[in-house]
């Protein structure tokens, strides 16, 4: 049943244009599908997304702006939290019109930054004799770095909350306009506690529930080769014989999945992504050997660990807090240019991976597809943007740094 689990909205169906109209038939048809898509997305509340709401008290971890790196990692790791909301209690006292929540920091970014700093100062002896947190404590200039200082390095994500009655269209607009935005907090009012999070994977999974609707399939059934991101996105590569420390250093700068390829054949053998940092936190021997272990050895160890991690997968299903160990991940997700966008959506959603790689017949990496790329396909300005605005849309445009002018969405300069 294709309709099972699909959000029920009275405006989801739009009358088709009359056939046989003279002149502009193709344009009219294109405008119809764009309007149908916009109408559908504009009538799905954020509350329909998995993880957007939690009945219990605020599920989000909070960190004060004055917290240090060691405290932040120490708080998030035991909770299996992928990130935390940054709050500024000092400025909150100035009045109700001052934002209390000012940002979001994800645990992988903190760990990757700390690893890079440790590799600059740590001795070989210290690396082999301690785990990550112990090594961090040996270097207070790193461990005691304030979260506020890290904001200068753009390690914090912007805080653009939505309310439960805002729409999927609103959330997709924010994701497509802000490339550093990976999660969107859900709140009920200004300066209230965070009730949950909208993730890119949750958006993609909800779109997939609409599979079978003609206006969505007209986009999703196209081959990847026709989309701009499939040709413009350059994959980040490391060789399989390069050390893990180097691979994580590359990951720290790029933040997307790193493809691990064989040096001789240049074939893809695996990937390393931000969520893999939990292995360095959990395994002291892996942490201490990161400068001698190859990327290929790490990939094999990770794949073995993923197969044994079904417990975390079942426990975290449906959580409203982004988790570090969110689900069992496939070793690597690949596609051909001839695969459809819908196939990429299904495989990414099922795997929980941060991206998939486009490969040729020899297994050589040609491109990369991330959930944000897919969301952007269904978001303005990719769609026909001739809209009349509206309260929620005006607020979304303001947050995104855009405006509507002559019926078109324009980025503010």
């Amino acid at each position: 049943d294709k309709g099972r689990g699909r959000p029920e909205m009275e405006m989801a169906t739009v009358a088709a244009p009359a056939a046989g109209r003279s002149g502009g038939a193709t344009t009219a048809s294109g405008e119809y599908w764009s309007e149908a898509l916009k109408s559908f997305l504009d009538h799905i509340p954020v509350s329909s997304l998995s993880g957007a709401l939690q009945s219990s008290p605020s599920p989000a971890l909070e960190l004060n702006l004055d917290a240090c790196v060691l405290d932040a990692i120490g708080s998030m790791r035991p909770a299996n939290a992928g990130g935390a909301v940054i709050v500024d209690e000092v400025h909150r006292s100035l009045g109700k019109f001052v934002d209390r929540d000012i940002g979001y920091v994800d645990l992988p970014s903190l760990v990757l930054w700390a690893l890079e700093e440790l590799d600059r100062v740590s001795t070989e002896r210290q690396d082999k004799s301690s785990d990550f947190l112990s090594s961090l404590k040996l270097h207070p200039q790193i461990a005691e770095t304030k979260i506020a200082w890290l904001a200068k390095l753009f390690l914090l994500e912007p805080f653009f909350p939505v309310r439960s009655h805002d729409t999927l269209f609103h959330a997709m607009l924010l994701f497509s306009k802000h490339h550093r935005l990976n999660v969107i907090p859900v709140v009920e009012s200004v300066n209230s506690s965070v009730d949950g999070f909208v993730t890119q994977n949750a958006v993609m999974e909800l779109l997939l529930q609409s599979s079978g609707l003609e206006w969505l399939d007209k986009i999703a059934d196209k081959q990847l080769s026709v989309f701009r991101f499939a040709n413009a996105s350059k994959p980040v590569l490391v060789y399989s014989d390069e050390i893990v420390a180097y691979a994580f250093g590359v990951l720290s700068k790029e933040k997307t999945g790193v493809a691990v390829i064989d040096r001789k054949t240049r074939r893809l053998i695996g990937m390393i992504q931000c969520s893999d940092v939990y292995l360095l936190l959990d395994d002291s021997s892996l942490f201490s050997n990161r400068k001698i272990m190859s990327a290929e050895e790490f990939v094999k160890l990770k794949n073995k660990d993923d197969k044994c991690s079904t417990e975390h997968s079942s426990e975290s299903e449906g959580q409203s807090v982004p988790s570090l160990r969110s689900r069992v991940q496939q070793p690597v997700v690949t596609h051909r240019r001839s695969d459809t966008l819908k196939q990429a959506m299904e495989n990414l959603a099922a795997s929980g991976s941060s991206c998939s790689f486009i490969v040729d017949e020899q297994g050589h990496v040609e491109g990369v597809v991330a959930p944000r790329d897919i969301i952007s396909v269904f978001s303005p300005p990719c769609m026909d943007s001739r809209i009349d605005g509206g309260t929620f849309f005006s607020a979304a445009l303001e947050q995104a740094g855009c405006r509507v002018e002559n019926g078109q969405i324009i980025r503010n300069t």
Side-chain angles (χ1 to χ4, degrees):
D1 183 6
K2 289 184 178 179
R4 187 178 181 182
R6 188 179 296 163
E8 295 182 1
M9 277 129 325
E10 36 181 73
M11 302 266 317
T13 304
V14 181
R21 289 178 180 175
S22 60
T26 302
T27 302
S29 177
E31 290 178 359
Y32 157 68
W33 296 120
S34 294
E35 290 300 324
L37 178 56
K38 285 187 297 188
S39 178
F40 184 76
L41 298 178
D42 197 10
H43 287 80
I44 302 178
V46 163
S47 56
S48 299
L49 291 162
S50 173
L53 294 178
Q54 177 90 350
S55 57
S56 61
S58 178
L61 280 178
E62 294 184 349
L63 293 173
N64 194 277
L65 194 59
D66 291 330
C68 67
V69 169
L70 182 62
D71 291 340
I73 295 176
S75 298
M76 287 186 274
R77 182 192 175 194
N80 186 33
V85 175
I86 306 302
V87 300
D88 188 357
E89 296 292 353
V90 175
H91 287 90
R92 186 190 185 192
S93 64
L94 297 177
K96 63 180 181 179
F97 298 108
V98 178
D99 288 340
R100 167 182 178 268
D101 303 320
I102 60 174
Y104 180 87
V105 60
D106 66 287
L107 179 55
S109 290
L110 279 185
V111 174
L112 288 170
W113 174 83
L115 280 173
E116 200 168 17
E117 294 301 308
L118 286 173
D119 286 343
R120 290 176 182 172
V121 301
S122 294
T123 66
E124 195 68 21
R125 178 186 62 81
Q126 288 170 334
D127 284 345
K128 290 187 175 181
S129 63
S130 61
D131 59 22
F132 174 78
L133 290 180
S134 297
S135 183
L136 196 57
K137 292 174 183 177
L138 290 173
H139 302 281
Q141 73 273 29
I142 301 173
E144 297 174 9
T145 300
K146 301 296 185 183
I147 296 296
W149 188 86
L150 293 178
K152 299 177 182 179
L153 303 179
F154 298 100
L155 286 185
L156 305 190
E157 295 180 19
F159 192 87
F160 287 142
V162 295
R163 301 185 185 185
S164 59
H165 60 267
D166 284 330
T167 68
L168 178 62
F169 190 63
H170 186 164
M172 290 173 67
L173 177 65
L174 291 176
F175 276 135
S176 63
K177 289 296 182 182
H178 292 276
H179 288 180
R180 290 197 301 118
L181 191 65
N182 292 307
V183 297
I184 300 175
V186 180
V187 300
E188 282 307 308
S189 61
V190 175
N191 285 340
S192 66
S193 298
V194 174
D195 295 324
F197 293 92
V198 175
T199 65
Q200 295 177 24
N201 271 346
V203 171
M204 194 164 55
E205 289 170 358
L206 193 143
L207 286 173
L208 280 171
Q209 292 180 24
S210 305
S211 179
L213 295 178
E214 188 174 4
W215 52 260
L216 185 131
D217 288 350
K218 275 186 171 291
I219 298 174
D221 287 342
K222 292 181 179 179
Q223 294 184 352
L224 292 175
S225 58
V226 306
F227 295 102
R228 183 174 58 183
F229 66 77
N231 302 299
S233 301
K234 301 297 183 183
V236 182
L237 311 173
V238 298
Y239 290 118
S240 58
D241 57 0
E242 291 180 301
I243 61 173
V244 174
Y246 172 76
F248 274 106
V250 173
L251 185 65
S252 179
K253 295 178 177 61
E254 301 294 340
K255 293 298 190 296
T256 55
V258 174
V260 180
I261 64 172
D262 183 87
R263 187 180 291 273
K264 293 181 179 179
T265 65
R266 300 189 68 83
R267 294 185 62 181
L268 178 68
I269 64 173
M271 72 175 293
I272 297 175
Q273 54 189 337
C274 288
S275 59
D276 293 334
V277 300
Y278 82 85
L279 290 171
L280 299 182
L281 297 178
D282 292 349
D283 191 333
S284 58
S285 63
L286 179 56
F287 169 75
S288 61
N289 290 323
R290 71 190 186 283
K291 292 186 178 181
I292 59 176
M293 173 180 284
S294 71
E296 182 175 10
E297 291 173 323
F298 179 84
V299 166
K300 290 179 179 178
L301 184 149
K302 183 186 78 162
N303 294 344
K304 179 180 178 181
D305 179 82
D306 285 342
K307 292 177 182 177
C308 300
S309 299
T310 55
E311 182 179 348
H312 285 300
S313 175
S314 59
E315 287 180 354
S316 62
E317 193 70 29
Q319 280 187 344
S320 60
V321 183
S323 301
L324 185 59
R325 310 170 185 83
S326 59
R327 65 179 76 182
V328 177
Q329 298 168 350
Q330 296 178 6
V332 63
V333 183
T334 61
H335 293 97
R336 299 284 183 85
R337 290 189 179 275
S338 58
D339 290 343
T340 65
L341 183 67
K342 185 184 294 184
Q343 288 175 312
M345 294 169 67
E346 291 170 343
N347 291 338
L348 277 172
S351 70
S353 181
S354 61
C355 67
S356 70
F357 296 104
I358 300 175
V359 297
D360 62 16
E361 294 179 356
Q362 287 75 41
H364 300 154
V365 181
E366 294 184 327
V368 61
V369 182
R372 188 189 309 278
D373 297 322
I374 293 171
I375 291 174
S376 295
V377 168
F378 295 95
S379 304
C382 303
M383 296 189 304
D384 179 12
S385 301
R386 288 180 291 180
I387 45 91
D388 57 1
T391 303
F392 101 88
F393 190 72
S394 298
L397 283 178
E398 183 177 350
Q399 290 183 8
C402 302
R403 68 186 187 278
V404 174
E405 188 174 294
N406 298 323
Q408 298 294 323
I409 298 177
I410 299 175
R411 185 188 300 273
N412 295 330
T413 57

